[in-house]
Amino acid sequence: MLEIRKDGDPVLRQVAKPVANIDENSLKLAAEMIKTMYEADGVGLAAPQVGESIRLVVYDVGDGPVTMFNPVVTDSEGLLECEERCLSVPGKYAFIARPETVEVRYLDRSGRHCKVKGDGLLGRCLQHELDHLDGKLYTDLAKEVFTDERAKNSTERAKNPVKEKSR
Ligand code: NI
């Protein structure tokens, strides 16, 4: 399992470099990231979160693992406020407004051009992970960041009883 970098680590604030070659090394890193994501019970992980400042994201919103090289948001619509968490910001959460639906283009493990359009958990996950590639954390967008301790008694929590997984 790879070490997940925590808020305060400078690598999380760097703008990650594009992946020039999808080769043995980058595919091995992606496979290790997927394993780390599952072990940490997350739905997504970006390479900077494991100390590699490259544009690589993995996620699994329930349909199996997906690996994205050099992903870019190409379209978005709507606006929705949702709870977000992050494996790099343990024990915290916030309610973040973002576009509801996004379209993302990326290269898959074989270097093929792919496109995914997502709303709900997928749309949220894609935007959260792609932000990591630009050195951004969800806490940058938060009006207020809550801790899990406070969450136990908060009315917001009562309205959102489903525990969101971290990204
Ligand atoms: Ni995150």
Side-chain angles (χ1 to χ4, degrees):
M1 186 168 165
L2 302 168
E3 184 201 345
I4 296 175
R5 305 300 180 90
K6 301 299 191 296
D7 189 11
D9 190 317
V11 73
L12 292 172
R13 293 306 189 175
Q14 290 169 16
V15 176
K17 291 191 173 64
V19 177
N21 296 300
I22 298 172
D23 57 13
E24 201 178 314
N25 287 336
S26 51
L27 290 172
K28 182 167 176 271
L29 176 63
E32 288 174 352
M33 284 170 58
I34 289 168
K35 195 176 164 214
T36 301
M37 173 181 76
Y38 287 142
E39 287 186 30
D41 199 25
V43 295
L45 196 63
Q49 291 183 275
V50 295
E52 299 289 338
S53 192
I54 60 171
R55 304 188 84 81
L56 162 60
V57 160
V58 300
Y59 69 86
D60 184 348
V61 293
D63 302 320
V66 176
T67 300
M68 295 181 145
F69 291 99
N70 302 335
V72 179
V73 173
T74 47
D75 197 13
S76 64
E77 59 187 58
L79 188 69
L80 188 69
E81 192 171 74
C82 279
E83 183 183 329
E84 287 190 38
R85 292 169 178 269
C86 181
L87 293 172
S88 295
V89 191
K92 309 270 187 186
Y93 70 95
F95 299 92
I96 308 295
R98 296 186 190 264
E100 185 174 9
T101 307
V102 288
E103 178 188 85
V104 172
R105 291 173 194 261
Y106 64 99
L107 299 176
D108 72 5
R109 293 167 43 84
S110 305
R112 285 180 297 230
H113 289 272
C114 296
K115 185 172 77 173
V116 62
K117 193 169 183 176
D119 59 7
L121 177 60
L122 175 57
R124 186 58 47 150
C125 176
L126 290 169
Q127 295 175 79
H128 178 112
E129 298 312 329
L130 266 62
D131 269 0
H132 276 301
L133 304 181
D134 290 325
K136 298 176 194 160
L137 298 175
Y138 80 84
T139 48
D140 303 343
L141 302 169
K143 286 186 224 96
E144 187 174 1
V145 179
F146 300 94
T147 66
D148 279 326
E149 196 57 40
R150 179 170 168 182
K152 285 170 192 162
N153 299 317
S154 83
T155 52
E156 288 92 341
R157 195 68 182 164
K159 279 184 269 177
N160 294 278
V162 177
K163 187 176 184 296
E164 284 248 340
K165 287 190 171 186
S166 296
R167 301 166 187 121

